Amino acid sequence: MRSRSPFRQAAAKPVPLDERVSGPGAADGDFAEAVLAGLSGARKAIPSRFLYDARGSELFDEITDLPEYYPTRTEIALLQRYGAEIAAYLPEATALIEFGSGSSRKTAMLLEALRRVSHYVPIDIEASCLEQARSSLIARFPDLAVLPLIADFTDAGTLPEAVADAAKLGFFSGSTIGNLTYAEARRFLRDAAALLGPGARFLVGVDLKKPLDILLPAYNDAKGVTADFNRNLLARINRELGGDFDLSGFEHEAVYNEAEGRIEMHLVSRRAQTVELLGRRFAFAEGERIHTENSHKYTAPEVRRLAAASGWRHAAVWINDDALFSLHLLKLPD
Ligand code: AVI
């Protein structure tokens, strides 16, 4: 596993990796409920976290390598270029807490720069990702205590006792914050502040507003990987919920909603059709959409305002030369 699949199904409650119990989680019920509710409304919509089943996570990994999809490589380049400068703002940080850590691919770069960090708490819903990340990081940083937490990053519960007194740095990369609405992002940042505690710092990767000739191809790539990623949601419904979606009957659409400042992904019905799942029938008119994802883009001042509205002070920002992507350092008063 190279990259990360930031949204996964919510676990019933956060569990340290060593204490987890095997067995089915709450995921299936959540998915069924969300799909039935989402297809029943006047405007059909399914939350974007359900895009990331095993196949969806693979496709997202492929997306991060596409020439049109600039966010991942730009954020990595920022971490490489400014790692030492970022570290200079954080001389005391000893615990790194990563939200939606996935494979922790970018974490190693940060750990290279932050030599005093002795404890790493990756928070992710996928146990296998956490295990893999733990072994690869321990091989590279043998003195690092890796304390994974299996949890939805929006509901992490409490941190391990071992980091209670540590100077904490949160890390939320990839502009996953953009997949939250403004209200959700504010709530997330407030909850993260409560989790990390007074004096904490938070490094957040945020995709920037930019010309549409760069933005739109990133979500409408020539190879059609993003289209497959989007349509995979229908395959997942067929597989897990016994649906009979004809995948060729739906077209991938990614558009920029200027008023909301976000890319929206939709699946557009190519014709009038009816779909059955879980004993229910759903009618689609020709051109009717299922809204599957929002990816909000920010300006640097908008991030500052979001931080302030969520109880954080904005300490610094790093932006690449083409102004494609930004890394923001936030802090909480002591
Ligand atoms: C995970 N997230 C930040 C990606 C994004 O750009 O919003 C998900 C994605 N959707 C389509 N392409 C990538």
Side-chain angles (χ1 to χ4, degrees), residues 51 64 70 82 103 131 149 157 169 179 185 209 267 280 296-297 305 317:
L51 290 164
T64 62
Y70 58 86
Y82 296 113
S103 64
E131 309 244 22
L149 208 52
L169 170 66
N179 297 127
K209 287 187 167 146
L267 288 163
R280 299 259 306 267
H296 293 82
K297 310 301 169 189
R305 283 198 288 278
V317 60

Side-chain angles (χ1 to χ4, degrees), residues 6 52 60 63 69 174-176 179 219 226 229 265 293 295:
Y52 299 93
F60 177 65
I63 289 174
Y69 194 76
S175 201
T176 301
N179 297 127
Y219 294 85
T226 311
F229 172 65
M265 288 207 315
E293 187 183 61
S295 190

Side-chain angles (χ1 to χ4, degrees), residues 47 143 179 181 215 310 314:
D143 296 332
N179 297 127
T181 62
L215 196 47
S310 319
H314 195 274

Side-chain angles (χ1 to χ4, degrees), residues 3-46:
S3 191
R4 47 178 303 170
S5 303
F7 284 108
R8 299 170 206 273
Q9 326 293 263
K13 70 181 179 57
V15 200
L17 196 59
D18 293 333
E19 292 168 21
R20 73 185 187 279
V21 286
S22 55
D28 290 351
D30 278 359
F31 185 41
E33 216 173 281
V35 170
L36 289 177
L39 296 183
S40 304
R43 285 167 174 255
K44 295 180 169 67
I46 298 173

Side-chain angles (χ1 to χ4, degrees), residues 22-220:
S22 55
D28 290 351
D30 278 359
F31 185 41
E33 216 173 281
V35 170
L36 289 177
L39 296 183
S40 304
R43 285 167 174 255
K44 295 180 169 67
I46 298 173
S48 64
R49 67 180 183 278
F50 295 110
L51 290 164
Y52 299 93
D53 64 347
R55 179 67 186 140
S57 298
E58 267 173 29
L59 287 164
F60 177 65
D61 261 1
E62 261 186 66
I63 289 174
T64 62
D65 281 337
L66 291 169
E68 298 95 329
Y69 194 76
Y70 58 86
T72 311
R73 64 170 176 276
T74 313
E75 186 177 43
I76 288 173
L78 277 173
L79 284 167
Q80 276 164 343
R81 180 164 173 192
Y82 296 113
E85 202 176 307
I86 294 169
Y89 277 82
L90 304 158
E92 67 295 326
T94 54
L96 179 64
I97 292 92
E98 183 168 7
F99 295 79
S101 52
S103 64
S104 305
R105 182 185 181 187
K106 296 163 194 158
T107 322
M109 285 172 214
L110 208 51
L111 288 169
E112 282 293 350
L114 298 169
R115 282 310 191 155
R116 285 197 61 207
V117 168
S118 54
H119 289 76
Y120 171 53
V121 182
I123 304 170
D124 202 284
I125 212 68
E126 186 105 338
S128 59
C129 267
L130 290 169
E131 309 244 22
Q132 262 181 282
R134 173 155 69 176
S135 31
S136 76
L137 283 173
I138 285 176
R140 197 153 159 195
F141 304 96
D143 296 332
L144 186 70
V146 182
L147 308 166
L149 208 52
I150 306 179
D152 184 326
F153 67 80
T154 60
D155 187 15
T158 49
L159 292 176
E161 198 45 46
V163 300
D165 298 325
K168 296 178 196 73
L169 170 66
F171 184 37
F172 191 39
S173 72
S175 201
T176 301
I177 197 162
N179 297 127
L180 306 175
T181 62
Y182 188 82
E184 288 167 343
R186 215 171 42 187
R187 199 174 320 126
F188 166 74
L189 287 174
R190 280 189 182 280
D191 290 350
L195 185 75
L196 295 171
R201 309 288 194 261
F202 202 6
L203 187 64
V204 185
V206 185
D207 196 12
L208 294 171
K209 287 187 167 146
K210 59 183 57 66
L212 294 186
D213 62 337
I214 301 172
L215 196 47
L216 288 174
Y219 294 85
N220 288 292

